[in-house]
Amino acid sequence: MQTRVDDMPLPAAPAASHAAPATEFRILGAISFSHLLNDMIQSLILAIYPILKSGFDLSFAQIGLITLTYQLTASLLQPAVGMITDRKPMPYSLPVGMGFTLCGLLLLAVAPNFAVLLLAAALVGTGSSVFHPESSRVARMASGGRHGLAQSLFQVGGNAGSSLGPLLAAWIIVPHGRGSVAWFSLAALLAMVVLLQVSRWYRDHHVVRSKTHAHHALLVPLTRTQVAWSLLILGLLIFSKYFYLASISSYYTFYLIHKFGVSVQNAQTHLFVFLFAVAAGSLIGGPVGDRIGRKWVIWASILGVAPFTLLLPHANLFWTGALTVVIGLVLASAFSAILVYAQELIPGRVGMISGLFFGFAFGMGGVGAAVLGHVADARGIEYVYGLCAYLPLIGVITAFLPNLERKRVA
């Protein structure tokens, strides 16, 4: 009987010939801090949407287009960056990428029209396209085999930075105007200094770590068809997660202002609380996945948040705040588990997988913001939250993922 090529098993990851190196918490801390600064700068764009909307007389669709521009820039370039650096690591690309973010930030502060706003957003997206795949690779190199923990530590920096953006916008940019955005270029400069130190460590260690970084427990080979279906399922879960997050990160302030009549600063404080909950949740998924299995974390994170998203459109102001905290905590725990699960599906392609999944996540967030902006213009902002409440139900397809932990060889 002839065997189909698509059903031939993929080769297992090669056995490690040396004991795994110790976890480099100093490097993980540095890369997490850089992620905090990078994503804090990105979140400033989201946080000053009310200022941009009134200052440039923008529609919700144009607000969504700003998000689409910077997130699609990142999403289209990240997989390419990951594939290139899988073949030829580029340690010093990290501070260079942050340089693009710095330029975008300065341009945002002085942009005279909507077209220049889009260019500034594209530069910030370009910086992220370089930063995320290579930073994720550094986190895995420094993990000492604790891959979920390392990705969670890396991810919590970014989510903490995202939560700070609205708070800093409320304290600094709202009182002093859009030009005060330029002061945050100092954060980008600090990140470049930190990343130069990380780049030196990366340069000195990538050859040694690449030889000793394989799993202690090897995966039983999956067929190419199984891997392809698993990646498709993970992609649908990313779609569910980031479309829903786009509804809050891009439009939560408008929702609170419209439905409850709160001030801009009060709404930005609520957004900070939600994003802080996201940061806290991101620290949970990786270490728990290391212990109990990534599939179960993914399942609980995506599907488990559905009861809370379904209640949110019917809640008063107090319960809206409380429910969004729970939603942020639970939903955020998925990404680290999804990313490490995908890296284990295709061993040896850390850059490509990291770029693909970070890029797809950003892309889905951007597309979600643009689509939901059009829906908000046509049907109202409250309709958006009623519609998006059903997205986490897609999490039921997690049942079809292979349980990799049961497929490990003793």
Side-chain angles (χ1 to χ4, degrees):
M1 183 175 63
Q2 188 176 11
T3 302
R4 291 175 51 196
V5 173
D6 284 349
D7 291 327
M8 292 177 64
L10 294 172
S17 57
H18 299 75
T23 304
E24 296 274 2
F25 286 104
R26 177 178 62 88
I27 297 300
L28 291 175
I31 207 68
S32 181
F33 178 66
S34 301
H35 200 187
L36 181 150
L37 295 174
N38 180 80
D39 285 23
M40 179 193 74
I41 292 168
Q42 288 187 53
S43 70
L44 288 174
I45 298 176
L46 302 175
I48 64 173
Y49 276 174
I51 296 173
L52 297 178
K53 190 175 190 298
S54 60
F56 291 91
D57 194 24
L58 304 179
S59 66
F60 281 121
Q62 287 174 307
I63 291 291
L65 189 58
I66 294 173
T67 304
L68 177 65
T69 298
Y70 88 82
Q71 290 190 335
L72 276 187
T73 306
S75 97
L76 292 174
L77 291 177
Q78 284 200 49
V81 171
M83 286 188 287
I84 291 169
T85 54
D86 275 338
R87 294 182 174 90
K88 184 179 180 181
M90 299 179 183
Y92 290 97
S93 63
L94 289 168
V96 171
M98 189 60 65
F100 280 99
T101 300
L102 171 62
C103 293
L105 187 65
L106 292 173
L107 193 58
L108 177 65
V110 299
N113 53 50
F114 181 66
V116 179
L117 280 179
L118 292 180
L119 177 59
L123 285 171
V124 174
T126 301
S128 289
S129 73
V130 178
F131 175 81
H132 285 96
E134 283 296 83
S135 295
S136 184
R137 185 197 307 279
V138 170
R140 191 169 178 90
M141 287 170 56
S143 69
R146 302 164 73 182
H147 305 307
L149 172 65
Q151 290 298 331
S152 282
L153 289 174
F154 169 61
Q155 198 65 25
V156 75
N159 288 331
S162 295
S163 72
L164 287 174
L167 200 61
L168 294 174
W171 289 349
I172 299 173
I173 300 174
V174 171
H176 298 98
R178 181 168 57 93
S180 60
V181 169
W183 285 104
F184 291 93
S185 62
L186 296 174
L189 287 172
L190 175 59
M192 292 175 73
V193 171
V194 174
L195 288 172
L196 277 172
Q197 313 309 310
V198 173
S199 294
R200 293 191 181 101
W201 180 89
Y202 180 4
R203 178 198 62 195
D204 295 339
H205 289 77
H206 75 86
V207 174
V208 175
R209 297 292 170 124
S210 66
K211 293 179 179 178
T212 61
H213 197 64
H215 284 296
H216 297 296
L218 304 179
L219 297 180
V220 168
L222 301 174
T223 67
R224 296 181 189 278
T225 301
Q226 287 175 305
V227 171
W229 276 110
S230 297
L231 291 175
L232 177 61
I233 291 170
L234 294 176
L236 289 172
L237 295 174
I238 290 288
F239 158 78
S240 167
K241 170 181 165 67
Y242 281 91
F243 242 70
Y244 187 84
L245 286 178
S247 72
I248 297 188
S249 60
S250 292
Y251 301 110
Y252 188 40
T253 53
F254 299 113
Y255 176 75
L256 293 174
I257 292 168
H258 170 77
K259 186 170 182 178
F260 302 111
V262 303
S263 67
V264 171
Q265 286 181 306
N266 191 318
Q268 287 173 329
T269 302
H270 276 78
L271 181 58
F272 160 74
V273 172
F274 166 74
L275 294 174
F276 185 82
V278 170
S282 67
L283 192 57
I284 298 171
V288 174
D290 285 338
R291 288 180 175 271
I292 70 171
R294 317 204 195 282
K295 176 179 175 178
W296 311 115
V297 172
I298 296 168
W299 192 316
S301 176
I302 304 293
L303 187 60
V305 82
F308 306 103
T309 62
L310 290 168
L311 284 172
L312 181 64
H314 311 288
N316 61 23
L317 179 59
F318 172 80
W319 284 108
T320 293
L323 286 170
T324 53
V325 168
V326 176
I327 290 167
L329 281 168
V330 177
L331 197 56
S333 63
F335 188 75
S336 295
I338 290 173
L339 183 60
V340 177
Y341 185 101
Q343 290 171 347
E344 292 176 347
L345 280 174
I346 308 180
R349 305 302 297 272
V350 173
M352 183 193 74
I353 290 296
S354 299
L356 181 64
F357 276 81
F358 275 109
F360 188 64
F362 283 11
M364 285 299 97
V367 171
V371 169
L372 296 175
H374 283 285
V375 173
D377 284 335
R379 302 294 298 271
I381 195 69
E382 292 186 42
Y383 181 82
V384 167
Y385 284 83
L387 181 65
C388 290
Y390 295 93
L391 284 171
L393 294 175
I394 294 174
V396 72
I397 65 175
T398 305
F400 298 102
L401 286 174
N403 187 356
L404 298 183
E405 283 70 24
R406 288 183 180 176
K407 293 181 175 288
R408 294 188 187 276
V409 178

